[in-house]
Amino acid sequence: MSTSAASHLSPSYPDRAAWGTAPKLRAWQQEAFDLYCRREPRDFLAVATPGAGKTTFALRIASDLLSRGVIRAVTVVTPTEHLKRQWADAAGRVGIPIDPEFKNSQGATSRDYIGVAVTYAQVSMHPALHRARTEARKTLIIFDEIHHAGDAKAWGDGVREAFEPAARRLALTGTPFRSDVNPIPFVTYAEDGEGVRRSVSDYSYGYGPALADGVVRPVIFLAYAGEMRWRTRAGDEIAATLGTPLTKDQLGQAWKAALDPKGDWIRQVLHAADRRLSEVRKGVPDAGGLVISTDHETARAYARHLRAITGEGATVVLSDDPEASKKIKQFSASQDRWLVAVRMVSEGVDIPRLAVGVYATSTSTPLFFAQAVGRFVRARKRGEFASVFLPSVPNLMGLAGEMEAERDHVLDRKLPEEGLDDFLVEDANRKKDNPDVVGDELPFETLEAVATFDRVLFDGGEFGAAAEPGSPEEEDFLGLPGLLEPDQVRTLLSKRQSEQLKAKRKASEPKESQLAPHEQIAGLRRELNGLVGAWNHRTGQPHGVIHAELRRACGGPAIAQATAEQVQERIDKIRAWATQRSR
């Protein structure tokens, strides 16, 4: 074991360090390490955004504690088998031999090892064994993604029983919040001013600060709407437009139709994502793409689409595949274009070269979404940014617009009784052999699913307007250079937004001149109402409040008495709001 080696480990090991960070610890890692050393706590919760380098931070602490004799052994607890091996590889680099193959049936490991790596499920199956091992030697427990300890009551109870006698416990997470109210073992909760208990971290390093430090990549989200049509079991044909206000059932059905591999929507989005990947690879030759799928059958169908689009096979990683870890490692070291994974965003799909993603699943919990986007934010060199394609669904649009929001795990709150965001995390990450059941009150057959480019979300702003796949307007955003600084991304998006609006107005002038005054103003009112609906999805403000704010900002009478020029001014104002980070 070498403290020196740990201090010189790549800040993002097992990945390459972000630009400007090696060979020393990143500023946040050093600050958190110094805080830990000053406090010498038994329990410490570090919350750091995915890609920030939690592994390096934890191993630096482990090396220090071992060198000072504070502990004699290390146990790493992870969500998955793949991550056990990843931790063992990283620990081996700093002289801490960890056994990732330890089984409960063994009872003990070789004396060649200082510790073991186990899963939360493994601990829950035999907590007494792990308690005995913990009591036998002064042990540091490293909880990787500690929120998983709340996935099931048995997991939480097992973790608490097994590691209560530990000398030290270091909890790590990039996403401390959960969609349920299961308390996380060894995490402190404190009441806020309203009597609600929230998790309390000892050190926090969110996506916003990490982005400002150049530790993670910025992410642009490319949202796609479209026309959907399906047939119910009763034989009724129903149509809906994704990206417009819909009921819960309509939204669930339209979303499912969009993701159906038999429809054109997903094929068109995959084609757009591959065009984006080709552009990125001009500046980042090894850039790869990841499609996050819902189930095994759908994943294989998406892979067939990608082969038809690219002429190359895609790597498919399924949750029950014994070769999953090997495939992930091989893809990470290759220059292959596409990987298709069944969920698995918290199960070892940790590939620094991923730069383009397709969110092709109907899971919409904040935790799952954050984990998914976390696969694309690992910065390797200056100027890299990620592109994630997703359906134009209110839940996802809201989460994409709040990328930099920091959340805590909240107890004492009522779980939502309905809506698309009430999936539990354990459901989101478990083995899936069958398609999702989203809005399946009316089982259906997809008849038509056609994509349209909707808009781009970046840094809290919205850019672009509806466009057909393959159009110059869509290409404006798919063709963004692969290497740009965050301020350059915003400037270029704003420029292309402005150019598109000017072109749209110019193209509509002859048509408008032929319209009767009542037709012209009716069309403008429809456009304004559509934008108000989109702003409602983003902010939660009622439509009437938004209209009132627009009227105060622009002047003029109520919408029913406003002139065409006054309505157009309000349209321009709400579009300006959408391109601003905040108002």
Side-chain angles (χ1 to χ4, degrees):
M1 172 273 304
S2 169
T3 301
S4 174
S7 65
H8 288 86
L9 189 68
S10 166
S12 58
Y13 190 83
D15 308 322
R16 284 182 281 173
W19 59 270
T21 61
K24 297 179 179 179
L25 291 177
R26 291 171 174 160
W28 84 263
Q29 293 167 332
Q30 188 65 56
E31 186 177 50
F33 175 73
D34 292 343
L35 176 65
Y36 186 92
C37 292
R38 287 197 304 272
R39 291 185 180 177
E40 292 285 345
R42 187 181 182 198
D43 285 291
F44 192 90
L45 171 62
V47 178
T49 190
K54 293 184 289 294
T55 301
T56 295
F57 164 69
L59 292 176
R60 180 68 180 88
I61 288 177
S63 296
D64 177 71
L65 295 177
L66 285 166
S67 67
R68 294 191 287 119
V70 177
I71 60 169
R72 300 284 303 279
V74 177
T75 296
V76 181
V77 191
T78 76
T80 66
E81 293 289 329
H82 177 79
L83 289 176
K84 286 165 48 176
R85 299 179 185 91
Q86 185 169 291
W87 272 93
D89 290 344
R93 279 283 296 269
V94 298
I96 303 177
I98 296 291
D99 181 7
E101 306 297 337
F102 176 78
K103 302 292 191 296
N104 288 349
S105 57
Q106 295 174 218
T109 189
S110 167
R111 286 187 294 178
D112 290 336
Y113 296 109
I114 289 177
V116 299
V118 295
T119 64
Y120 289 101
Q122 189 176 346
V123 171
S124 71
M125 287 188 288
H126 203 334
L129 165 67
H130 296 279
R131 184 183 183 96
R133 296 190 71 259
T134 302
E135 291 175 328
R137 292 192 294 173
K138 292 185 295 184
T139 303
L140 165 68
I141 311 298
I142 299 175
F143 295 108
D144 186 22
E145 305 297 352
I146 181 65
H147 55 268
H148 279 284
D151 277 359
K153 188 175 186 299
W155 285 25
D157 291 345
V159 163
R160 195 177 299 280
E161 178 184 348
F163 302 121
E164 190 279 328
R168 296 286 179 94
R169 291 181 290 257
L170 175 60
L172 309 171
T173 181
T175 47
F177 53 93
R178 294 178 51 82
S179 300
D180 55 29
V181 294
N182 292 334
I184 302 170
F186 308 121
V187 168
T188 299
Y189 292 86
E191 286 191 7
D192 61 16
E194 300 177 354
V196 175
R197 289 177 293 167
R198 296 179 180 273
S199 62
V200 179
S201 62
D202 295 283
Y203 189 89
S204 182
Y205 186 63
Y207 175 78
L211 183 61
D213 292 344
V215 168
V216 295
R217 295 170 178 157
V219 181
I220 66 169
F221 294 93
L222 297 99
Y224 279 73
E227 300 294 327
M228 310 298 153
R229 191 165 58 89
W230 61 89
R231 180 184 293 116
T232 69
R233 181 177 293 173
D236 299 325
E237 291 192 11
I238 301 176
T241 301
L242 199 65
T244 62
L246 299 171
T247 66
K248 175 195 170 186
D249 287 344
Q250 288 173 331
L251 178 59
Q253 297 279 348
W255 192 350
K256 186 172 182 180
L259 301 181
D260 189 339
K262 299 184 184 70
D264 285 337
W265 189 95
I266 189 64
R267 182 184 58 78
Q268 291 169 325
V269 170
L270 289 174
H271 198 277
D274 189 68
R275 294 207 306 278
R276 176 71 195 134
L277 181 59
S278 293
E279 189 63 41
V280 173
R281 285 168 76 105
K282 292 177 182 178
V284 188
D286 70 337
L290 167 65
V291 181
I292 299 172
S293 179
T294 294
D295 60 82
H296 295 187
E297 180 182 349
T298 303
R300 294 187 182 98
Y302 290 169
R304 290 193 291 271
H305 281 320
L306 287 169
R307 176 179 284 279
I309 292 167
T310 67
E312 302 176 15
T315 299
V316 180
V317 178
L318 307 177
S319 52
D320 62 349
D321 185 354
E323 297 292 311
S325 292
K326 182 179 178 181
K327 289 181 179 180
I328 291 169
K329 194 169 184 178
Q330 288 175 341
F331 183 85
S332 182
S334 74
Q335 292 200 3
D336 294 348
R337 293 179 72 87
W338 284 101
L339 173 72
V340 183
V342 177
R343 308 268 179 91
M344 293 191 70
V345 293
S346 65
E347 299 184 20
V349 181
D350 197 5
I351 303 164
R353 69 185 187 89
L354 289 177
V356 177
V358 179
Y359 194 91
T361 174
S362 51
T363 306
S364 59
T365 61
L367 174 54
F368 186 88
F369 186 84
Q371 289 175 328
V373 176
R375 301 314 100 202
F376 305 97
V377 301
R378 295 186 179 274
R380 299 183 302 170
K381 65 179 180 179
R382 189 165 185 157
E384 288 186 347
F385 68 100
S387 306
V388 176
F389 291 70
L390 73 171
S392 190
V393 172
N395 303 63
L396 300 183
M397 302 293 275
L399 293 171
E402 299 170 359
M403 267 290 290
E404 298 184 23
E406 294 185 14
R407 298 177 175 87
D408 300 314
H409 182 213
V410 179
L411 302 178
D412 308 315
R413 62 182 170 84
K414 185 179 180 181
L415 288 174
E417 295 179 356
E418 62 178 10
L420 291 170
D421 198 27
D422 56 4
F423 294 94
L424 297 181
V425 178
E426 57 266 32
D427 175 71
N429 289 294
R430 72 185 184 215
K431 172 183 172 181
K432 298 289 287 187
D433 293 307
N434 299 303
D436 271 356
V437 183
V438 179
D440 261 0
E441 294 83 358
L442 299 172
F444 69 91
E445 173 192 1
T446 301
L447 300 177
E448 183 180 20
V450 180
T452 56
F453 173 78
D454 188 4
R455 56 192 134 154
V456 169
L457 291 85
F458 176 71
D459 197 29
E462 298 181 4
F463 307 85
E468 294 300 315
S471 67
E473 292 80 10
E474 181 196 42
E475 194 61 37
D476 279 346
F477 297 101
L478 296 182
L480 290 172
L483 291 172
L484 290 173
E485 294 294 327
D487 58 337
Q488 294 174 321
V489 175
R490 171 170 276 280
T491 298
L492 193 52
L493 288 173
S494 297
K495 179 181 178 183
R496 296 195 173 176
Q497 161 103 342
S498 177
E499 291 171 348
Q500 285 190 1
L501 290 176
K502 287 179 182 177
K504 184 177 180 181
R505 288 197 190 102
K506 186 175 181 180
S508 65
E509 285 173 1
K511 180 179 179 181
E512 289 178 356
S513 66
Q514 298 171 10
L515 295 175
H518 72 278
E519 293 175 318
Q520 181 181 356
I521 197 167
L524 289 171
R525 286 174 180 168
R526 284 194 297 272
E527 182 178 0
L528 178 60
N529 287 332
L531 291 169
V532 167
W535 191 252
N536 162 262
H537 288 317
R538 177 177 170 181
T539 65
Q541 290 180 294
H543 288 222
V545 172
I546 300 169
H547 277 292
E549 284 193 29
L550 287 169
R551 185 179 174 186
R552 281 195 295 271
C554 301
I559 187 69
Q561 289 80 44
T563 65
E565 183 179 353
Q566 289 169 330
V567 177
Q568 183 63 60
E569 185 179 0
R570 295 176 196 184
I571 290 171
D572 294 340
K573 174 60 69 174
I574 197 170
R575 286 192 179 278
W577 288 353
T579 61
Q580 297 169 2
R581 178 181 172 77
S582 61
R583 292 181 43 247

